[in-house]
């Protein structure tokens, strides 16, 4: 979120809080945990995870792509942390 001297600037300044944002955030995190699990246990690729996310949760490609990318990054960080 962009801040300038303690005040919000840009689009963030125009978005008012709504409880739906928390629910959407919880769903996003749940979908990401599912994606990480599939990558770990079933050794699915990022592309395969995107397709499964779209089919299982009925979400658009852009969301599935974002979630799969974050899941891959998270899984890579976990593997790196495990090595050290």
């Amino acid at each position: 979120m962009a801040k300038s001297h303690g005040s919000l600037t840009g689009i963030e300044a125009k978005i008012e809080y709504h409880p739906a944002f928390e629910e959407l955030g919880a769903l996003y995190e749940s979908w990401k945990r599912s994606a990480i699990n599939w990558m770990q246990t079933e050794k699915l690729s990022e592309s395969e995870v995107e397709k499964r996310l779209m089919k299982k949760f009925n979400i658009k490609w852009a969301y599935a792509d974002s979630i799969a990318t974050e899941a891959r990054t998270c899984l890579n960080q976990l593997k790196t942390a495990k090595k050290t």
Side-chain angles (χ1 to χ4, degrees):
M1 212 178 290
K3 288 189 176 187
S4 175
H5 302 290
S7 64
L8 295 173
T9 58
I11 190 67
E12 295 89 356
K14 296 177 179 16
I15 298 174
E16 292 185 32
Y17 171 79
H18 192 280
F21 293 139
E22 288 194 29
E23 187 173 334
L24 288 172
L27 276 173
Y28 188 91
E29 290 301 316
S30 174
W31 296 335
K32 187 170 79 171
R33 285 191 301 275
S34 294
I36 292 168
N37 186 43
W38 297 331
M39 288 177 173
Q40 280 183 310
T41 60
E42 300 178 38
K43 309 294 186 218
L44 295 183
S45 69
E46 205 170 311
S47 178
E48 292 168 320
V49 167
E50 285 174 17
K51 291 174 187 168
R52 186 178 283 187
L53 286 165
M54 289 187 294
K55 184 175 182 178
K56 183 171 177 104
F57 301 115
N58 193 28
I59 58 176
K60 301 284 185 194
W61 172 83
Y63 294 117
D65 179 60
S66 174
I67 293 165
T69 300
E70 278 196 51
R72 172 60 57 207
T73 300
C74 183
L75 191 57
N76 287 343
Q77 289 173 343
L78 291 170
K79 288 178 182 177
T80 301
K82 187 176 181 181
K83 289 179 186 176
T84 57

